[in-house]
Amino acid sequence: MQNNLIAGAWVEGSDSVDNINPSDLDDVIDSYARADAAQVNEAVAAAKAAFPAWSTGPIQARATMLAAVATEIMARKEELGELLSREEGKTRPEGIGEVMRAAQIFDFFAGEVVRQSGEKIASVRPGIDVDITREPLGVIGLITPWNFPIAIPAWKIAPALAFANCVVIKPAEIAPASAHALAGIIQRAGVPEGVFNLVMGKGSVVGEALVNHPDVAAISFTGSVETGKRIAANCAQRLAKVQLEMGGKNPLVVLDDADLGTAVDCALNGAFFSTGQRCTASSRLVVQKGIHNAFVDALVERMQALKVDNALTEGTQMGPVVDQSQLDQDLKYLDVGRDEGAKLAWGGERLNRATQGFYLQPALFTETDNAMRINREEIFGPIASVIAVDDYEQALEVANDTAFGLSSGICTGSLKHASHFKRHSQAGMVMVNLPTAGVDYHVPFGGRKGSSYGSREQGRYAAEFYTTVKTGYTLPV
Ligand code: ADP
């Protein structure tokens, strides 16, 4: 049994839930406590009590603690990567890579602690000094999804603590093990009791209680659009600061002048790696007519060769879908696509492997148009569609014709089209000859339209959310 961390103590919940390995349903990772609303209140109270000392304490101590977190994560990357792959289903190399990313994020924000700066500028009124500084917000609630079970907690916790806030985090109910392990590391790094709290459990209980708590100054959320909108409305009700990262329907444009190998690599990686369960996945492949057939043939050939198996099996390139309900959603959209008249070029079969798990072949639809549901709604699985277009102008129009705007990509040898696309793509992140998924940790992450709400995450831009600005005026008399 793995417990919640509240006020520096590991405490049982009101009940618990088994964390099941999606690659092997007989493998129960452990049982994880589920907190109730009263425990959320205790965690918030502990965070509130810890805030005055934490937020005015020495910055070197904070920087050292965050660096210690990074060091332990990195030292245990194999073990934590395996745990992550076991609970989420991404391949072991992807799991280890994500763990390393979490360490790099803590390392970056350890540095940010001592790089914090303000501005000092002249007043328009003679003799007065003006300075602009940033201060922490107080208690911050973090709500995270299952698809990046250590990286997303890391990219919210690290800046929250670096900028001297206290934290209560609720990880996804179906994959809490990585966040739980991270909580232990944060505690061992010497973060004082109450500064960091972990409350696991249901969104409808723990998440709601956190979002609606009057002492939680801000909520940073990553998850579905539906939940995000609900959280934003609840935060607006009590004027709490909110930041949402939600879905995507990310286009990868492939022009006739693209390098075919590069375009196929980008599509394969962007659409199917991590089992397509990334908000930056390339789900719409917008392909110009001249290269269309060669592209589809080459992509299908690569999909057929993709090794789908247990996430921990050596050589696996794509692990299982995360759970039964996500698998049901994927299978539903395969039916929706067929019913809408799209052609299933290849894939979409349920697969049996040596261990019982949620295995699904990657699937590619062709002969689709952008009005189809499979091109408008986020599927969040290893399913992509090809939309054929006549020219660059039509490709750009199709790429932007979506309710989302997280990431986008273009494969082309043309500087003119690449430059135009970078400027006119309505997405927060634009990739040229690169997959739509896969980002750096020291630069902003986020999107537009229905994909994101509030300020950007990661890199120096994280300060915008995790701090509040103060303008000081001084008359030196
Ligand atoms: P996903 O499809 O990634 O599970 P969700 O939006 O359902 O997307 O979940 C993302 C996170 O939001 C999870 O930690 C989940 O428990 C939490 N959550 C779900 N419903 C609510 C809610 N009503 N209030 C707050 N958090 C919620």
Side-chain angles (χ1 to χ4, degrees), residues 18-60:
D18 285 348
N19 185 354
I20 311 279
N21 179 349
S23 298
D24 178 0
L25 306 188
D26 292 331
D27 177 27
V28 178
I29 294 156
D30 213 326
S31 192
Y32 287 79
R34 286 200 288 207
D36 56 21
Q39 289 181 312
V40 173
N41 293 345
E42 284 168 30
V44 173
K48 188 180 176 187
F51 181 70
W54 176 247
S55 58
T56 54
I59 62 168
Q60 184 57 55

Side-chain angles (χ1 to χ4, degrees), residues 78-91:
E78 306 277 341
E79 170 212 340
L80 293 170
E82 180 172 319
L83 178 69
L84 195 162
S85 295
R86 254 176 95 202
E87 73 166 340
E88 201 272 348
K90 62 183 67 173
T91 66

Side-chain angles (χ1 to χ4, degrees), residues 321 323-333:
V321 173
D323 70 356
Q324 184 68 52
S325 82
Q326 187 59 51
L327 179 65
D328 291 344
Q329 178 164 314
D330 296 346
L331 295 172
K332 179 193 85 177
Y333 275 109

Side-chain angles (χ1 to χ4, degrees), residues 39-171:
Q39 289 181 312
V40 173
N41 293 345
E42 284 168 30
V44 173
K48 188 180 176 187
F51 181 70
W54 176 247
S55 58
T56 54
I59 62 168
Q60 184 57 55
R62 251 177 17 236
T64 304
M65 284 175 213
L66 293 183
V69 172
T71 303
E72 181 174 338
I73 297 173
M74 199 57 104
R76 294 173 56 197
K77 64 178 196 272
E78 306 277 341
E79 170 212 340
L80 293 170
E82 180 172 319
L83 178 69
L84 195 162
S85 295
R86 254 176 95 202
E87 73 166 340
E88 201 272 348
K90 62 183 67 173
T91 66
R92 186 196 301 264
E94 286 174 324
I96 294 171
E98 184 183 331
V99 168
M100 290 170 68
R101 170 57 53 100
Q104 288 159 341
I105 290 166
F106 272 96
D107 213 21
F108 176 84
F109 283 104
E112 285 298 276
V113 174
V114 293
R115 280 193 295 266
Q116 289 181 65
S117 62
E119 292 175 69
K120 188 168 187 302
I121 56 181
S123 170
V124 292
R125 289 172 287 163
I128 293 176
D129 283 338
V130 181
D131 55 72
I132 304 164
T133 50
R134 288 186 177 274
E135 294 184 5
L137 299 172
V139 180
I140 304 205
L142 309 176
I143 298 176
T144 56
W146 49 262
N147 66 327
F148 284 91
I150 198 164
I152 296 180
W155 82 52
K156 295 185 192 297
I157 296 167
L161 295 180
F163 296 117
N165 300 283
C166 293
V167 167
V168 179
I169 182 170
K170 191 209 92 63

Side-chain angles (χ1 to χ4, degrees), residues 143-146 170-173 201-204 207-208 211 221-224 227-228 230-231:
I143 298 176
T144 56
W146 49 262
K170 191 209 92 63
E173 195 187 1
K202 282 179 172 299
S204 57
E208 285 276 331
V211 166
F221 164 84
T222 302
S224 64
T227 307
R230 184 182 170 85
I231 288 176

Side-chain angles (χ1 to χ4, degrees), residues 223-225 245-250 279 378 380 404-406 450-452:
S224 64
V225 175
E245 289 298 344
M246 300 168 287
K249 200 68 203 170
N250 311 296
C279 44
E378 188 178 46
F380 221 62
F404 296 102
L406 188 57
S451 290
S452 300

